[in-house]
Amino acid sequence: MARRPGPRSPTRSWTPPGRATSTCTRGSPAAAGSPDPPEALLLGLELAVALGAALLICGVVERELRLPPPVTLLACGVVLGFIPALRGVTLPPEAVLLLFLPALLYWESLTTSLREIRSNLRVIVLTSTVLVVATAAAVAVAAQWFGMPTGPAWVLGAALAPTDATAVAVLARGLPRRTMTILRAESLVNDGTALVIYGIAVGVVVHQEHLSPVHVSWLFMLAYVGGALAGLLVAWIAMRVRNWLDDPLLETSVSVLTPFTAFLLAELIEASGVLAVVVCGLVLSQYGPRRVGAETRQLTNAFWRVTTFILNGALFVLIGLQVQASIRDLTHATVGRGLAAVGLISAAVIGMRVLWSYTTPYIIRAIDRRPQQRLRRVGARQRLVSAGSGFRGAVSLAAALAVPELLDSGEPFPDRDLIVFVTTGVIVVTLVLQGFALPLLIRLARLPEDTALQEERRLAETVATEEALAVIPEVAASLGTSQPVLERTLTEYETHLKVLCTICEPEDDPVRDAEDDYAALRLALLARKRATIVRLRDERRIDDTVLRMIQQRLDIEEVRLARREVID
């Protein structure tokens, strides 16, 4: 007897028989089975080189033409689809949900403001639950209007309901902190809600299940509570292990394992792996600064920044590749129907978000009239930005690709190819249309300049420097520091404090000018020292190992001097 699919990870039981489960699988109909190992390895190498070249080329194009990054990456993926060797490459849902998603969600949750999440918790909860259900229902109604059966229509609705955390992080960068936090937190959590709906819809279609409201409520409860508990447990274990290791390389290895462990633990108890990773990341973001050393933090941050950059870019390129594949899966008779469905369902997805943005705030205002609530209200123009930031991405496509090909009865899954095609089309429409429209919406919204972050940063550095300066004599006495060293340290801290206090002064302030001259001189001397140690290496007077040791210290000092400004 087939196991009923769980509601969270659609790939655990629903991988279609015979479907490719690797991006290194050729989709040629002439292939009778799996490709030979050398051929598969060669295709994997071709794909890796193609993805790397696409990221570099798109990066240059984005910088020169100021285009939205996902748009250029999608276009590059479509172009790569014309290469015969890559025409059969598919985006396996397992790779997105079990490899890409935990890593990307973990980094996003680590770098999200928990304080802002608490302040806007009601809005985030509503948009990541009620709005997801409403969007899924709107898409289902639109799909049924095109003749799609109710069950598959809800599968499509669940796949397109969540916004994409990757796209939001890239396209909505630079928005005011509150707006950005709400959008990021919503996209981090709503995947869990959508995958629960998705699991229920697939179970109903494939297994002809009839779930009671109590059972559905239990699935949602298990997804959220179980996922949160799994995330808390893994975060606690990760911190204990990292404290015990006290080694930068080993601690970074623990950081890499953490999101996948949280996701796996949640999936084992059939809870939400998405929520487990998010909760784990948020908890570690609060306790990490107290427990993690500077060297470990630098190494870990550098690893995750590079890794998430590559994963983000690769996902959008692979989505572009999938555009062609989804078109090839349709017959000529259904392409027109599919394009019409893409247009209508894209309008439903975007329209539901616009409707939400201009109805629920007024309902909340009518119910909650507390003074603090009034202070947090935003105008109708400002809500344009949130309404235009409903990007869909890789999670939606992974859910569509994970739809099984056959029902328990042996019949084909109704309109499966159409679901994949429409999902791919809506992703492209939201990324391209809203990606280009968002800058215009920001200008129309006339968002006030958000200087709170810069002010808080200056406050933190000023207070920290003042308190450190106050205890220098006491600390120096306890360490037995000599008087010359004490005086030098006092001078450095007093100078730094003067610079912090002149941040808002005119650019020609003498204190700031002197600090800039000092930094320029130090940078020039560092360049001379670096050239000297390279010459000593070339003359074989020092070893390459010595060169790397000294160069690492010079690099750290150069980065520090190059970023002396308090406010970016």
Side-chain angles (χ1 to χ4, degrees), residues 107 122 224 239 271:
W107 179 244
R122 179 171 59 191
Y224 282 99
M239 289 307 306

Side-chain angles (χ1 to χ4, degrees), residues 330-338:
L330 291 179
T331 63
H332 291 290
T334 55
V335 169
R337 178 190 175 206

Side-chain angles (χ1 to χ4, degrees), residues 39-117:
E39 184 183 359
L41 291 175
L42 180 60
L43 177 60
L45 182 59
E46 293 171 352
L47 182 61
V49 172
L51 288 175
L55 292 179
L56 292 176
I57 294 172
C58 291
V60 174
V61 172
E62 293 159 14
R63 186 177 59 185
E64 297 297 326
L65 302 181
R66 298 185 181 276
L67 295 174
V71 174
T72 56
L73 292 168
L74 280 172
C76 190
V78 173
V79 172
L80 289 176
F82 288 102
I83 300 176
L86 300 179
R87 285 178 65 85
V89 172
T90 60
L91 178 62
E94 296 88 349
V96 176
L97 295 174
L98 304 179
L99 177 62
F100 286 77
L101 189 61
L104 294 174
L105 290 179
Y106 182 65
W107 179 244
E108 285 297 318
S109 58
L110 278 177
T111 54
T112 298
S113 169
L114 184 58
R115 187 188 71 175
E116 287 296 307
I117 290 177

Side-chain angles (χ1 to χ4, degrees), residues 463-493:
V463 173
T465 303
E466 288 174 345
E467 294 191 4
L469 182 61
V471 298
I472 285 178
E474 179 184 347
V475 174
S478 64
L479 296 176
T481 305
S482 62
Q483 188 64 26
V485 174
L486 172 60
E487 293 176 356
R488 175 184 172 185
T489 304
L490 285 170
T491 301
E492 289 180 354
Y493 268 76

Side-chain angles (χ1 to χ4, degrees), residues 370-402:
R370 293 176 299 169
Q372 56 266 40
Q373 170 60 28
R374 295 176 183 174
L375 294 175
R376 304 193 67 81
R377 293 176 180 175
V378 296
R381 287 186 176 182
Q382 295 181 12
R383 290 199 293 276
L384 275 174
V385 176
S386 297
S389 302
F391 313 103
R392 267 57 185 178
V395 174
S396 296
L397 184 57
L401 292 174

Side-chain angles (χ1 to χ4, degrees), residues 242-280:
R242 293 177 73 165
N243 289 339
W244 175 66
L245 291 173
D246 194 24
D247 180 273
L249 288 175
L250 294 178
E251 288 186 60
T252 302
S253 301
V254 173
S255 177
V256 175
L257 288 173
T258 299
F260 301 101
T261 304
F263 200 97
L264 175 61
L265 178 59
E267 289 295 308
L268 290 177
I269 62 175
E270 298 192 354
S272 172
V274 170
L275 193 61
V277 174
V278 172
V279 170
C280 181

Side-chain angles (χ1 to χ4, degrees), residues 227-240 261-262 265 276 279-280 283:
L229 292 176
L232 289 171
L233 177 60
V234 172
W236 180 80
I237 294 174
M239 289 307 306
R240 299 279 293 185
T261 304
L265 178 59
V279 170
C280 181
V283 171

